[in-house]
Amino acid sequence: MDKFDKSIKYRSGLTNYLLDTGDEVILVDTGLPFGTPEEIPDENTPIYTGKDISSYMDAFKALGYKPEDVTKILLTHRHVDHSGELKSFPNAKIYVNEEELDSEELKGIENIVPVKFTDGAYYNFPESQKIADGVYYIKAKGHIKGNSIVIVENDGLLYMIHGDITYTDEALYENKLSIVFDDKEAARVTLDRVREFISNHPTVYLSTHTPLGHENLENKKVVDLNNPPETIPVGEVVFKTATGKYVCSICGYVYAPEVGDPSNGIPAGTRFEDLPEDWHCPRCKQGKDKFNRA
């Protein structure tokens, strides 16, 4: 955080991906759960993904698919902005890094396939699992212990769907870690491997939290680390009246004053502003500074 410059702002968003192989429909992550309150930023908000355009399931159905069409879901990691609608696809096999199985977000989900990464190296990534022809699941620890990357091979290009290796593509080009990681050293190793891979293979970099993700996909834009894209200015941010609820910008946990946090001794009726300064998100353990008003 001592390297964080809040005067620099980048466009942000929330994008997830669907792969139609002709034989299978495969999802990579499943967005926020329906009903998650929209975040309300202020001038000190460090991470804000933008106003709601569509719920995940509405966006999924708008593509012309039905939940029963989905055969597999590849989870980059457990955070709820990536796993929020897993239960909406009861017939799909959900592939999850086996190190994620004890997470709160996956409790009560029966159709999980623990991935042990038994297929050896995928280029410079030491551990991988082949999911389908041209679709590979890669162990990529750092952001969290069970973080994974999905790489799709198609028409001579390699599409890297990476979850939260970086929040902005600018971090990839500038070779900087993106603020949130469970294991800083592992995050550095993973980013180094990603950059090495991109340097040696025609890669389209598909991010979750920047509009550059879907823009890169639409344009089939191959990364050139020596020529970063021009940063498009952030548009006007509208400040609205808050509800009293706060949303963790990292994992999507909603703190509701009327509920409190009983698991940590916080009684119902406690305003977010009155929580102890050392209070942490009960789901991802981040501090109060990572929460946005809703």
Side-chain angles (χ1 to χ4, degrees):
M1 283 299 296
D2 61 327
K3 299 292 191 293
F4 180 69
D5 185 347
K6 66 181 182 180
S7 69
I8 300 174
K9 292 181 171 60
Y10 301 108
R11 294 184 302 154
S12 186
L14 177 58
T15 303
N16 302 109
Y17 298 90
L18 180 151
L19 317 175
D20 190 334
T21 71
D23 298 317
E24 294 192 89
V25 176
I26 302 173
L27 304 180
V28 182
D29 295 341
T30 62
L32 286 164
F34 181 77
T36 300
E38 187 173 327
E39 299 175 13
I40 298 174
D42 62 27
E43 61 276 4
N44 295 313
T45 299
I47 302 174
Y48 168 57
T49 55
K51 64 180 182 179
D52 293 344
I53 298 172
S54 172
S55 70
Y56 179 86
M57 291 307 297
D58 285 343
F60 169 80
K61 291 173 183 175
L63 294 174
Y65 294 94
K66 301 184 293 294
E68 54 267 30
D69 295 335
V70 177
T71 54
K72 295 172 182 173
I73 300 173
L74 310 181
L75 191 67
T76 63
H77 61 292
R78 66 179 183 268
H79 289 160
V80 75
D81 54 335
H82 298 258
S83 64
E85 288 289 356
L86 290 178
K87 293 181 180 179
S88 295
F89 303 93
N91 299 328
K93 294 181 179 179
I94 302 172
Y95 289 76
V96 178
N97 184 330
E98 64 178 352
E99 296 185 56
E100 292 276 71
L101 296 181
D102 61 349
S103 63
E104 186 70 29
E105 293 87 343
L106 300 180
K107 287 184 178 178
I109 300 177
E110 302 293 334
N111 45 323
I112 287 178
V113 178
V115 177
K116 299 181 181 294
F117 302 96
T118 56
D119 288 339
Y122 181 84
Y123 295 99
N124 64 314
F125 294 101
E127 297 175 85
S128 73
Q129 194 82 41
K130 183 177 179 180
I131 301 298
D133 287 344
V135 181
Y136 297 87
Y137 196 56
I138 312 293
K139 182 180 280 191
K141 297 177 66 170
H143 177 60
I144 62 171
K145 68 177 182 178
N147 211 70
S148 304
I149 290 171
V150 176
I151 295 180
V152 182
E153 303 174 346
N154 189 53
D155 290 339
L157 296 178
L158 299 169
Y159 294 83
M160 179 180 285
I161 308 173
H162 62 81
D164 293 350
I165 301 300
T166 60
Y167 287 138
T168 69
D169 285 19
E170 285 85 355
L172 170 72
Y173 285 89
E174 295 180 20
N175 195 17
K176 294 180 179 179
L177 300 182
S178 282
I179 246 177
V180 179
F181 35 76
D182 284 353
D183 186 328
K184 183 178 180 179
E185 287 70 28
R188 167 44 62 191
V189 169
T190 291
L191 183 57
D192 287 347
R193 286 175 179 155
V194 165
R195 286 171 52 83
E196 179 186 352
F197 181 88
I198 285 171
S199 296
N200 292 297
H201 306 283
T203 304
V204 181
Y205 193 67
L206 302 182
S207 301
T208 300
H209 291 299
T210 169
L212 281 164
H214 64 78
E215 292 168 6
N216 290 343
L217 178 60
E218 290 168 359
N219 297 314
K220 296 184 179 180
K221 180 176 175 54
V222 172
V223 173
D224 178 355
L225 292 177
N226 294 316
N227 290 285
E230 180 181 357
T231 295
I232 297 174
V234 174
E236 182 183 4
V237 179
V238 178
F239 300 147
K240 297 186 295 185
T241 302
T243 65
K245 296 179 180 179
Y246 278 72
V247 181
C248 178
S249 63
I250 306 306
C251 76
Y253 170 82
V254 179
Y255 178 81
E258 64 271 22
V259 176
D261 179 14
S263 64
N264 288 307
I266 304 298
T270 304
R271 298 189 313 155
F272 183 85
E273 294 83 354
D274 296 332
L275 291 171
E277 287 307 308
D278 60 354
W279 181 84
H280 290 77
C281 174
R283 181 178 290 153
C284 72
K285 310 308 178 188
Q286 295 293 323
K288 290 176 65 177
D289 62 318
K290 297 300 191 298
F291 278 74
N292 294 337
R293 298 181 303 162

